[in-house]
Amino acid sequence: MAVRVIEHTLRVDWKMRVTFTRDIFAASNDTLLRALADTGPRQALVVLDQGVVQSHPGLPARIEGYFAQAGPALRMAGAPRIVPGGESAKNSLKLIRQIHGWIHDHGLDRHSYVIAAGGGALLDAAGFAAATAHRGVRHVRLPTTTLAQADSGVGVKNGINLFGKKNFAGVFAPPHAVINDFDFLATLPPEEKRAGYVEAVKVACIRDRSFFENIERQVDSLASFQAESMHEIIMRCAALHLEHIVRGGDPFENGSARPLDFGHWAAHKLEQLSRFSISHGNAVALGMALDVEYSRQKGLLPAASARRILRLLKKLGFKLFHPLLRCQSPPAGSPLLQGLEEFREHLGGELTITLLREIGLGEEVHEMDTEAIASSVLELERLEQTPGS
Ligand SMILES: NC(=O)c1ccc[n+]([C@@H]2O[C@H](COP(=O)([O-])OP(=O)(O)OC[C@H]3O[C@@H](n4cnc5c(N)ncnc54)[C@H](O)[C@@H]3O)[C@@H](O)[C@H]2O)c1
Ligand SMILES: [Zn+2]
């Protein structure tokens, strides 16, 4: 029988909108209500990061008051659920089952909302739970860390870690809305305030030299966490991430390239090897420092540019070296280097690592030289121990 093919191109338009606001649950602030505006009665399940509630003890009551004024068209599915945040939120299926249970108990449907407020880890898990209940209950993200507002909360990826592997189980599912309330950031510990800067340096390095220079100019106010500089950097970083997702031609990462994961092959492995005691932000700073130094040693990136990037990371308060980076000799057997194969496996297809040719200009390679990785680590250790380098 002759082969017959039925073929169509499926196109789905999705509005990606990130709104920046202050005091999101003030009675006079209708940003969230407008994001939920729709016809017919709706239910919303609210999931809150315990770390946020500890710093904002009145938050659950304020949210209940906010919904009460919305009238019967928008009902809360019970009181806000407070769950532990941080990496442990996405290190097992526990939270996913809990959220599925709440969606089931309240009869939430695909026109209902799961509204999650918290750090990137909680948002990754809540987004995964929402996307997999009824094949997709609408999820609304309220990111509360610099990293989540600048990067993880604005994208299309959701997931959890399984089998000790970062983001092993997950889905690409765009959120219904993302609302960044800058007021949440004030209560972050310094370490968490800083964490988001690294994703800004990352996207500047691969995409936007003038943004890199802007971060350099503001380095002192960023290092001392001045709100105005932080907000400006977050907004530009979020805009660059969204532009890449929307205009980069591969929103669901079907190809092998993932430029926004510059520095992440080593970062994900360091998180795993440290049993997540190294945070994502610190791990990305280490991973980026490694790929910057490696780019220099392989003759891709001019030495002056490499020095400039490493100096900026240091001035922002990041470490350039951690003992877990050390490669044994021969380096091929080192646990860090298993991260290369795990990264390839996660992406699928050919190993593709983004390096740098210049500040603002990435370069993809498909092979990594393990000897050069080992000597880059040695150089980072030396730099970390050299004051003023
Ligand atoms: N989906 C993506 O595209 C993507 C991209 C980058 C990173 N990520 C993921 O994001 C996670 C890291 O997220 P993160 O850096 O936001 O850290 P996090 O979610 O681990 O939160 C850090 C800590 O801050 C607390 N916290 C959150 N908001 C607070 C606030 N306003 N005040 C006080 N404490 C607060 C949390 O309870 C937690 O203890 C990693 O799991 C990483 O893999 C996802
Ligand atoms: Zn990241």
Side-chain angles (χ1 to χ4, degrees):
M1 188 186 125
V3 176
R4 298 176 66 179
V5 179
I6 301 171
E7 186 177 298
H8 296 281
T9 298
L10 176 71
R11 275 198 49 180
V12 180
D13 286 329
W14 195 285
K15 193 179 288 297
M16 299 285 290
R17 181 182 286 144
V18 179
T19 308
F20 298 87
T21 189
R22 314 283 299 244
D23 202 3
I24 183 173
F25 294 111
S28 57
N29 190 334
D30 66 351
T31 313
L32 178 62
L33 292 179
R34 271 192 285 120
L36 307 183
D38 213 330
T39 52
R42 299 278 177 263
Q43 276 205 93
L45 171 75
V46 178
V47 181
L48 301 177
D49 186 319
Q50 199 168 53
V52 182
V53 177
Q54 271 159 4
S55 308
H56 303 260
L59 185 64
R62 287 195 85 205
I63 295 175
E64 292 198 64
Y66 187 82
F67 274 88
Q69 70 166 20
L74 187 64
R75 281 185 300 118
M76 283 184 80
R81 309 305 202 280
I82 301 164
V83 299
E87 202 65 24
S88 69
K90 59 180 274 194
N91 259 338
S92 76
L93 283 160
K94 186 175 165 212
L95 180 58
I96 308 303
R97 293 186 66 92
Q98 267 179 326
I99 295 177
H100 281 171
W102 295 324
I103 291 173
H104 166 71
D105 291 345
H106 288 273
L108 264 64
D109 61 21
R110 301 182 68 244
H111 291 223
S112 309
Y113 302 95
V114 172
I115 302 173
L122 175 92
L123 298 182
D124 274 4
F128 181 46
T132 48
H134 300 303
R135 301 198 180 103
V137 172
R138 298 168 178 181
H139 72 282
V140 173
R141 301 198 193 122
L142 312 183
T144 60
T145 63
T146 44
L147 190 134
Q149 292 197 356
D151 175 346
S152 75
V154 305
V156 293
K157 294 191 263 186
N158 310 271
I160 58 167
N161 312 325
L162 279 186
F163 310 116
K165 290 181 176 171
K166 273 294 279 192
N167 306 322
F168 181 88
V171 290
F172 290 94
H176 180 82
V178 179
I179 305 173
N180 279 344
D181 178 350
F182 287 139
D183 286 344
F184 281 120
L185 306 180
T187 55
L188 284 171
E191 185 81 347
E192 300 297 341
K193 281 186 178 156
R194 181 180 299 115
Y197 297 164
V198 76
E199 305 282 5
V201 176
K202 171 202 76 180
V203 74
C205 278
I206 55 163
R207 281 278 189 272
D208 187 341
R209 187 182 177 93
S210 70
F211 183 38
F212 183 89
E213 287 164 353
N214 189 0
I215 300 173
E216 277 186 327
R217 276 193 299 278
Q218 305 202 51
V219 69
D220 292 333
S221 38
L222 287 169
S224 55
F225 307 117
Q226 288 180 33
E228 214 168 295
S229 294
M230 287 178 70
H231 301 169
E232 184 188 330
I233 276 5
I234 288 170
M235 281 196 281
R236 182 70 190 134
C237 185
L240 283 167
H241 276 85
L242 262 197
E243 266 167 40
H244 174 80
I245 292 166
V246 173
R247 302 213 189 102
D250 191 15
F252 299 145
E253 300 180 355
N254 289 319
S256 299
R258 255 206 291 179
L260 291 181
D261 275 352
F262 173 49
H264 279 58
W265 75 265
H268 285 166
K269 192 66 195 174
L270 285 171
E271 287 180 77
Q272 183 204 102
L273 289 173
S274 71
R275 294 172 193 258
F276 301 98
S277 67
I278 305 180
S279 71
H280 183 72
N282 287 333
V284 174
L286 292 162
M288 238 166 64
L290 177 60
D291 286 350
V292 164
E293 175 56 21
Y294 179 91
S295 302
R296 181 191 76 77
Q297 292 201 10
K298 295 302 280 182
L300 273 178
L301 179 68
S305 303
R307 255 201 319 278
R308 217 169 135 182
I309 300 168
L310 298 180
R311 206 178 304 130
L312 179 61
L313 287 173
K314 260 189 135 173
K315 278 189 168 175
L316 288 170
F318 293 105
K319 295 247 178 297
L320 304 183
F321 174 77
H322 188 283
L324 282 173
L325 278 171
R326 264 190 208 120
C327 297
Q328 299 136 6
S329 64
S334 297
L336 175 76
L337 296 169
Q338 289 163 12
L340 283 171
E341 173 49 23
E342 287 173 17
F343 193 70
R344 191 210 61 74
E345 182 185 306
H346 189 60
L347 260 71
E350 194 179 13
L351 175 71
T352 305
I353 302 285
T354 300
L355 298 176
L356 288 187
R357 185 163 278 287
E358 241 317 340
I359 295 172
L361 185 63
E363 163 110 3
E364 280 164 16
V365 299
H366 301 288
E367 252 177 310
M368 291 290 276
D369 168 354
T370 52
E371 298 289 343
I373 293 175
S375 80
S376 301
V377 169
L378 286 176
E379 178 59 11
L380 291 180
E381 185 167 9
R382 191 191 68 75
L383 283 174
E384 185 63 41
Q385 287 159 0
T386 315
S389 57

